[in-house]
Amino acid sequence: TRFLFGTPKWMRSLIQPKPGKAIAYIDVTAEEFGIASLLSGDPAMWESYCSPDVYIDFAKRAGLVPPTATKATHPEARKQAKAVVLGVQYGRGSRSTANALGVSEQKAEELLWHHNNVYRAFWDYVKGIQTMARFRRCLYSVLGWRMRVHSRTRPTTIQNFPMQAGGAELMRAVSVELVRAGVCLIAQVHDAFVIESDAGNIEADSEKTRGVVAKVSGVIFGRPLKLEAKIVRYPDRYIDEDAGEMLKTFDQVLREYNYTQLLIPAGTDPLSRTNTP
């Protein structure tokens, strides 16, 4: 709880680079989905990963939205597709999917059926690792780390292990290479890297990070994974898109109690990137 990225997302908006400095939040796009597509060798899954929007592409392949659909035109369908795509990675079933989306269990079963139908090679891979894990009583990650499997090991744990372990190995190997390349790595956040640099060098260091991730993921998984970068220069602050109304409430409380040093300038939107006095 002392790690800022381990706190509620609105608190991340307190992050501000020092004068003359900048930070970049560099996220491995849909990391677990991309790793799953490469480990399973599912061509449809990889094509979805390479598309502009993984969740919309799945919805299109499942016939849930028209071919021209986008995030803007079909937000609700995308929300449902995202819940399914992310949930199946760790074995979420129909009941928990229904609860997460606020739909009937029958509707959730239909969505999960579509995932099984669209990404058949992935589900064949899942069945294979379940059988292998029970037979060998262990599972190995792509770089050789072993997880013991026993009678109480959940099927969902077995299903999720290759993607989670592969992601952890990617993060570890990339971190080593970034330090060797002279990039100032200041934090890891699940599937993202936070780097710091002089304001004039942040783009170059971001590109260097992109190159390292592409190289390392290509070596480990056979193909490079995608990245998204968010750059913040002083005096702007890092604003998480999921900060929500809590950030505005926090700012209002600060104003009421005259904590002026952390105040957002009057007349500005706390959810936008704004200067801090």
Side-chain angles (χ1 to χ4, degrees):
T1 57
R2 302 185 117 186
F3 179 47
L4 187 56
F5 282 97
T7 61
K9 289 186 176 181
W10 67 269
M11 293 188 70
R12 301 178 185 181
S13 302
L14 300 176
I15 297 173
Q16 182 186 45
K18 294 179 180 179
K21 294 288 187 177
I23 61 172
Y25 184 95
I26 303 171
D27 180 41
V28 183
T29 309
E31 181 191 63
E32 294 168 19
F33 185 88
I35 291 174
S37 70
L38 293 174
L39 292 181
S40 66
D42 191 311
M45 210 171 192
W46 177 250
E47 289 174 6
S48 291
Y49 179 75
C50 293
S51 71
D53 190 315
V54 169
Y55 313 118
I56 285 292
D57 189 78
F58 163 63
K60 289 178 181 178
R61 291 173 183 271
L64 302 173
V65 297
T68 57
T70 65
K71 179 180 179 179
T73 61
H74 292 77
E76 186 60 30
R78 183 183 184 276
K79 177 183 175 182
Q80 293 183 353
K82 183 177 181 179
V84 171
V85 166
L86 296 181
V88 296
Q89 298 291 137
Y90 52 87
R92 173 188 272 175
S94 57
R95 180 173 299 178
S96 57
T97 300
N99 291 336
L101 289 173
V103 299
S104 67
E105 192 168 344
Q106 181 179 358
K107 175 64 176 178
E109 288 177 354
E110 178 186 338
L111 292 169
L112 292 172
W113 179 87
H114 281 303
H115 193 283
N116 275 263
N117 189 51
V118 170
Y119 303 129
R120 295 182 181 180
F122 167 75
W123 284 104
D124 287 342
Y125 166 77
V126 169
K127 293 175 184 176
I129 62 172
Q130 293 281 4
T131 301
M132 181 177 65
R134 298 297 181 186
F135 179 74
R136 294 183 176 178
R137 297 187 179 181
C138 65
L139 268 179
Y140 289 92
S141 67
V142 287
L143 295 185
W145 288 83
R146 183 176 67 173
M147 180 185 77
R148 295 184 182 275
V149 176
H150 48 76
S151 60
R152 296 187 302 278
T153 304
R154 296 180 180 180
T156 52
T157 300
I158 295 173
Q159 177 176 325
N160 198 27
F161 175 78
M163 280 67 78
Q164 292 293 340
E169 290 179 328
L170 174 67
M171 298 296 289
R172 181 173 60 253
V174 168
S175 297
V176 171
E177 292 301 314
L178 287 179
V179 173
R180 287 176 175 170
V183 176
C184 182
L185 176 65
I186 59 175
Q188 291 180 337
V189 188
H190 185 55
D191 55 1
F193 303 91
V194 185
I195 66 171
E196 183 182 39
S197 181
D198 292 337
N201 296 331
I202 192 65
E203 281 89 357
D205 282 348
S206 295
E207 282 303 310
K208 190 181 292 186
T209 303
R210 186 183 299 273
V212 169
V213 174
K215 176 184 176 182
V216 173
S217 58
V219 169
I220 296 177
F221 303 111
R223 291 183 179 181
L225 297 176
K226 301 188 299 180
L227 289 179
E228 294 179 356
K230 177 192 293 185
I231 293 176
V232 181
R233 290 181 174 83
Y234 178 86
D236 291 342
R237 292 184 299 157
Y238 175 90
I239 301 293
D240 194 287
E241 63 180 9
D242 295 324
E245 293 299 316
M246 187 59 192
L247 180 57
K248 294 182 179 180
T249 302
F250 176 69
D251 180 63
Q252 182 180 353
V253 171
L254 289 179
R255 292 183 185 281
E256 290 177 358
Y257 288 90
N258 296 318
Y259 286 98
T260 57
Q261 291 184 351
L262 291 175
L263 285 181
I264 296 169
T268 61
D269 183 358
L271 296 184
S272 65
R273 286 173 53 184
T274 56
N275 294 345
T276 301

